[in-house]
Amino acid sequence: MTRPDPDNVRRVACVGAGTIGGGWAAYFLARGMDVVATDPGADAEAKLRDLVARAWPSLEHLGLSAGAAQDRLSFTGDLSEAVADAEFIQENAPDWKDLKIEMFEKIGAAARPDVVIASSSSEFLPTEIAAKCAHPERCIIGHPFAPSYLVPLVEVVGGEKTSADVMDWAMDFYNGIGKKALRLKKEIESYIANRLQVAVFEEMHRLVDAGICDYADVDVAMRYGPGLRWAFAGPLLCLHMGGGQGGLTGFIEHFGWTGPEGSQDKALGEVERLYGDYSMAELEAWRDANLLAIEDKVTAEPGQ
Ligand SMILES: NC(=O)c1ccc[n+]([C@@H]2O[C@H](COP(=O)([O-])OP(=O)(O)OC[C@H]3O[C@@H](n4cnc5c(N)ncnc54)[C@H](O)[C@@H]3O)[C@@H](O)[C@H]2O)c1
């Protein structure tokens, strides 16, 4: 049995069905797939079905694929049974390294030999997780963000033995079902987005510890400031636009550059490649339209 094309996956297994696994199950169902879930937790099936039902209105809002239905979810307490016929496996057990290694060993023994096995792990190297898995060339990290049925980003990380074919397949699979897959060039613990978040969290603690502000003030600073822009423009584009008409070049002239040697040319090259076709006036009009869309729609506080 060979792995299906990434746009032809019909049957997916979710191993571990808590917050993230349940969110994945809901998302795969909404894309019109059959989902088999397994989880040894108390009342796991009932909790999963409840999560899927609560996520469903949001998924309907996004648009369901043909044939999508909550009743295409099945549940078994037997891990081997769950993965035996799966055409893709998303593992979502708790983030304990020894457990992940054990899970991948068990999944690898029961699944078809070429089926791609992705871990939702937030931290571990795929090389470590796949250490005891049969056919480790099909093992990857596919790291989502909560809620995994709504946030598009999936970080795709390969280990030392992961094949380039599998990385290509996983990118096509996630992108094909409407996710935004981001491929890391090499493995690193905690991947990209959480490392960026950690930098913010650490600075938050430093500011509060130094008596500059309270934790609530940090939320205000982010929510009503850069967070609005970061919803549609990453740090590189923000730097480029921070330079006004001069773009990133102007920014560097005014504020200097703190990155390591060689990074300035790299950043300038990326800006040219990505945004070189747009005048600053065009970028600013696009920015303003996005800010207005967010400000119009976002409720200021929970409950409002
Ligand atoms: N919560 C997040 O924001 C988030 C975001 C991205 C990735 N992740 C990752 O997703 C994974 C799951 O995290 P979560 O937040 O859903 O945790 P969770 O505690 O909500 O769910 C974990 C589930 O795994 C089940 N489980 C325990 N042992 C198991 C086993 N042997 N086999 C199968 N299932 C088992 C538990 O019963 C539970 O339902 C972790 O690797 C975590 O790092 C979490």
Side-chain angles (χ1 to χ4, degrees):
M1 184 71 73
T2 54
R3 169 187 320 137
D5 288 338
D7 58 356
N8 204 27
V9 173
R10 297 279 166 264
R11 187 178 170 86
V12 169
C14 288
V15 178
T19 307
I20 290 297
W24 271 124
Y27 192 78
F28 293 136
L29 289 167
R31 299 280 66 85
M33 299 175 188
D34 291 315
V35 176
V36 187
T38 185
D39 189 308
D43 300 325
E45 180 176 2
K47 287 181 191 164
L48 169 62
R49 291 193 185 278
D50 183 53
L51 190 160
V52 171
R54 281 184 284 115
W56 207 252
S58 300
L59 291 162
E60 283 178 324
H61 182 86
L62 287 180
L64 300 179
S65 300
Q70 294 182 56
D71 63 12
R72 291 177 69 179
L73 172 65
S74 57
F75 188 92
T76 169
D78 183 339
L79 183 146
S80 299
E81 186 185 314
V83 302
D85 295 323
E87 296 169 334
F88 173 74
I89 299 160
Q90 186 80 39
E91 174 279 319
N92 322 279
D95 234 6
W96 307 324
K97 196 191 288 184
D98 289 348
L99 176 63
K100 295 287 191 195
I101 294 170
E102 184 190 329
M103 300 298 303
F104 266 60
E105 183 178 13
K106 286 183 177 163
I107 294 169
R112 295 177 190 167
D114 62 349
V115 155
V116 175
I117 311 172
S119 174
S120 291
S121 176
S122 303
E123 187 178 352
F124 303 125
L125 299 179
T127 297
E128 291 179 335
I129 291 182
K132 294 184 179 172
C133 186
H135 309 290
E137 68 280 356
R138 41 63 180 275
C139 297
I140 59 161
I141 300 293
H143 178 234
F145 289 79
S148 45
Y149 56 88
L150 276 189
V151 179
L153 185 64
V154 182
E155 294 174 316
V156 178
V157 194
E160 284 165 10
K161 295 186 176 163
T162 311
S163 75
D165 279 358
V166 164
M167 290 295 284
D168 291 343
W169 188 97
M171 292 296 293
D172 289 345
F173 171 70
Y174 285 126
N175 283 326
I177 59 171
K179 290 290 182 183
K180 179 73 181 173
L182 178 65
R183 180 179 190 152
L184 270 68
K185 294 181 181 185
K186 50 186 176 181
E187 60 183 339
I188 183 171
E189 281 168 344
S190 304
Y191 329 126
I192 297 174
N194 274 344
R195 297 178 77 92
L196 294 172
Q197 290 202 105
V198 164
V200 173
F201 295 148
E202 288 180 348
E203 188 59 22
M204 170 177 76
H205 298 311
R206 271 194 291 271
L207 287 167
V208 173
D209 191 50
I212 309 296
C213 59
D214 294 326
Y215 283 106
D217 299 325
V218 177
D219 274 8
V220 170
M222 186 59 82
R223 156 71 181 86
Y224 292 93
L228 291 170
R229 292 197 308 244
W230 282 358
F232 55 89
L236 179 67
L237 180 51
C238 285
L239 280 183
H240 180 46
M241 298 193 70
Q245 293 308 312
L248 183 58
T249 307
F251 183 92
I252 294 168
E253 281 167 11
H254 276 92
F255 301 105
W257 185 257
T258 54
E261 207 183 325
S263 62
Q264 181 175 316
D265 287 347
K266 211 179 249 186
L268 286 166
E270 291 281 280
V271 161
E272 179 57 28
R273 181 174 67 80
L274 293 167
Y275 311 114
D277 289 345
Y278 303 100
S279 69
M280 193 49 74
E282 286 172 318
L283 287 176
E284 285 172 353
W286 167 82
R287 174 199 63 195
D288 291 0
N290 277 337
L291 282 171
L292 287 174
I294 293 171
E295 303 261 10
D296 281 351
K297 296 278 182 196
V298 168
T299 57
E301 305 294 340
Q304 288 184 353

